Amino acid sequence: MASSAIDHFVAITVFLAATLLFIGLFNQTIQPAIIYQRNRSVATKTSDLLDNILLNPGKPITWGQTNDAPIVFGLQDPEFTQYRISPYSLMRLQSSIGQPVYYSMTGQTYSNITMGFGQSLLVPFNECINYTAASKLLGVNGTFGFSLTLTPIVTVSISEKQTNPLTLEVNVVGAGSPLGYATVSYCFMLVDGKDGAYPSYSIEYGEAIADNTGKAILLFPDFNSETQSYVMIAYAHLNGLMGVGYYEHVRYTQNYVVPFISDFETGEVLLAHSWDVHQGANPAAIHYNATFVILSEDLTLREMPLDSSTGKIVGKLNYGQDPKFAYQKLTINTHNPGILIISYSKSAVESGVVLMPWGISSLAFPVSFGGNQETQEWVATDMRQVLINGVAYQAKLAGWSLEGYQVIT
């Protein structure tokens, strides 16, 4: 009888051990399958979300050109279909690239995209769409995180080969290879500083054809490197692909003009003195001259008249010491994408140029918007090729689950 009980006990023990072993093995097998399924679901969600963002303009459809917050989030250009993106809606996205900028004269903090000295886009936070608001409008807040980046496909790089005579080399590169025989349309602004007065400038427009390696050489014999500043802006296009590049030669950087977008709907821009924004050494009064150029339908650059509250496009800035000259206003009275070019000077030999895009693609600024993917366990990505006012970009969306999961061992 005792032997039978022992046999039963051993049998039960073996059965339980086998059952536990089977459960463990099954658990190790099923957990990766579950995670794979969840990851696949995240990848599908990422692809669907990217199309949802790129293939609808949002509501109202012109929210990128107003100061109102959208009630439906989308970035498609309302005047087109397919993967054509609004250059203005992108301007209103709170950037995750640069550090925010505070401007004491308005008491506001600005979203910041800066691509180097004198190449910036500063938009007030109260007119930006932030990541949280976009997530709520897309219906993914708290369950799904994302990061959207848009990067130009065509790179147009400009370098100075020599200064006497001024010789510039333009190199056009597409997706991994030179864009041979591309047409290069350019705008060359030459700036002469003045003592106690706004600078003068001359603009030369032209075209050139790149060689089979994507290279074009441009010659400007009137440039004087001892006294003059200049900026070169070049658009390169071939077979539906277009890119933008720019290069500045600046003689004076201690004091300069910083443009802030003030009102999207009216096109109002504030021109601030750099010392009131970034501080610095040796603050001094400067004078400026503002110009606006657009890319016309024949893909050439043309100057367009500006309007301002004073009827002028020239003025003086004096780092907040004199409230009358703390900042000035001007109005870009068009919703055609273009470039605001502001020349400035302290003296006859101290001058410079700053640029601001009106429409994100005008200077091929990249866009980065959304959450931080660096700390996520698993991230899915998907990409689309898009056009932003004719400029070719690659749109990439990274997505991840916020629910949290892991393998159980």
Side-chain angles (χ1 to χ4, degrees):
M1 196 69 181
S3 176
S4 177
I6 292 173
D7 290 342
H8 283 299
F9 179 76
V10 171
I12 292 172
T13 302
V14 172
F15 174 75
L16 291 176
T19 302
L20 291 174
L21 179 61
F22 174 77
I23 291 173
L25 292 173
F26 179 78
N27 187 58
Q28 290 183 8
T29 302
I30 198 64
Q31 284 296 322
I34 293 173
I35 291 179
Y36 170 78
Q37 187 62 35
R38 288 179 175 176
N39 289 346
R40 187 175 179 181
S41 176
V42 169
T44 301
K45 179 67 174 178
T46 299
S47 181
D48 291 344
L49 187 63
L50 180 58
D51 282 335
N52 189 28
I53 292 172
L54 300 180
L55 293 177
N56 91 87
K59 189 176 181 179
I61 60 174
T62 58
W63 66 270
Q65 300 174 17
T66 70
N67 302 321
D68 300 327
I71 58 175
V72 176
F73 184 78
L75 300 177
Q76 187 183 50
D77 191 324
E79 296 183 4
F80 297 95
T81 59
Q82 300 301 315
Y83 293 103
R84 290 178 175 262
I85 310 304
S86 167
Y88 298 107
S89 298
L90 292 174
M91 290 175 69
R92 293 194 62 190
L93 300 184
Q94 185 174 308
S95 173
S96 58
I97 298 178
Q99 292 295 321
V101 171
Y102 177 75
Y103 182 40
S104 60
M105 293 297 164
T106 60
Q108 293 192 61
T109 301
Y110 295 77
S111 174
N112 174 26
I113 304 178
T114 298
M115 302 306 298
F117 174 82
Q119 303 153 17
S120 62
L121 177 63
L122 298 162
V123 180
F125 269 12
N126 61 0
E127 293 187 14
C128 285
I129 307 304
N130 61 38
Y131 172 51
T132 301
S135 295
K136 289 179 179 178
L137 293 175
L138 291 167
V140 298
N141 189 40
T143 61
F144 189 83
F146 68 90
S147 175
L148 176 67
T149 57
L150 292 102
T151 309
I153 294 175
V154 177
T155 301
V156 181
S157 58
I158 304 171
S159 58
E160 188 177 287
K161 306 308 291 183
Q162 66 180 48
T163 56
N164 188 23
L166 177 62
T167 305
L168 300 179
E169 181 180 287
V170 182
N171 281 282
V172 186
V173 178
S177 61
L179 213 62
Y181 306 110
T183 300
V184 178
S185 302
Y186 64 84
C187 166
F188 179 78
M189 173 185 276
L190 199 58
V191 179
D192 287 285
K194 302 290 183 182
D195 288 313
Y198 59 86
S200 62
Y201 68 88
S202 61
I203 295 183
E204 179 180 337
Y205 301 97
E207 281 189 354
I209 303 297
D211 62 18
N212 62 334
T213 66
K215 181 188 301 183
I217 301 296
L218 304 176
L219 187 66
F220 302 95
D222 295 332
F223 171 66
N224 184 342
S225 63
E226 299 298 321
T227 61
Q228 295 176 311
S229 297
Y230 72 82
V231 61
M232 161 67 78
I233 304 168
Y235 281 76
H237 49 93
L238 177 70
N239 297 332
L241 282 177
M242 183 163 65
V244 189
Y246 38 90
Y247 181 86
E248 294 169 287
H249 175 94
V250 177
R251 293 191 50 80
Y252 180 62
T253 61
Q254 290 186 345
N255 298 276
Y256 55 95
V257 181
V258 179
F260 291 90
I261 290 182
S262 175
D263 192 298
F264 278 98
E265 194 158 345
T266 64
E268 184 179 81
V269 177
L270 302 183
L271 304 182
H273 193 289
S274 61
W275 194 89
D276 291 326
V277 182
H278 303 299
Q279 298 291 298
N282 305 317
I286 53 175
H287 292 78
Y288 68 86
N289 199 330
T291 307
F292 187 72
V293 298
I294 63 173
L295 188 68
S296 61
E297 292 183 0
D298 62 356
L299 300 179
T300 58
L301 288 161
R302 293 289 181 265
E303 188 172 352
M304 182 175 180
L306 280 168
D307 186 25
S308 69
S309 58
T310 61
K312 299 178 181 180
I313 56 172
V314 299
K316 173 184 175 182
L317 297 171
N318 199 15
Y319 67 98
Q321 295 265 330
D322 185 346
K324 181 180 178 181
F325 299 110
Y327 61 83
Q328 303 292 331
K329 298 180 180 180
L330 61 81
T331 301
I332 301 174
N333 55 354
T334 179
H335 278 107
N336 291 320
I339 304 167
L340 181 63
I341 307 174
I342 308 164
S343 57
Y344 62 89
S345 67
K346 177 189 174 186
S347 68
V349 295
E350 296 172 302
S351 62
V353 185
V354 299
L355 306 173
M356 187 200 81
W358 182 241
I360 200 80
S361 59
S362 300
L363 288 174
F365 274 19
V367 175
S368 182
F369 174 72
N372 183 8
Q373 67 185 58
E374 298 299 327
T375 59
Q376 304 304 319
E377 182 178 349
W378 194 85
V379 177
T381 60
D382 203 358
M383 295 179 291
R384 302 287 187 272
Q385 310 304 318
V386 302
L387 291 178
I388 308 175
N389 192 43
V391 178
Y393 275 72
Q394 181 184 82
K396 178 180 178 181
L397 188 74
W400 57 88
S401 173
L402 297 177
E403 295 177 347
Y405 51 87
Q406 61 183 9
V407 176
I408 300 173
T409 59

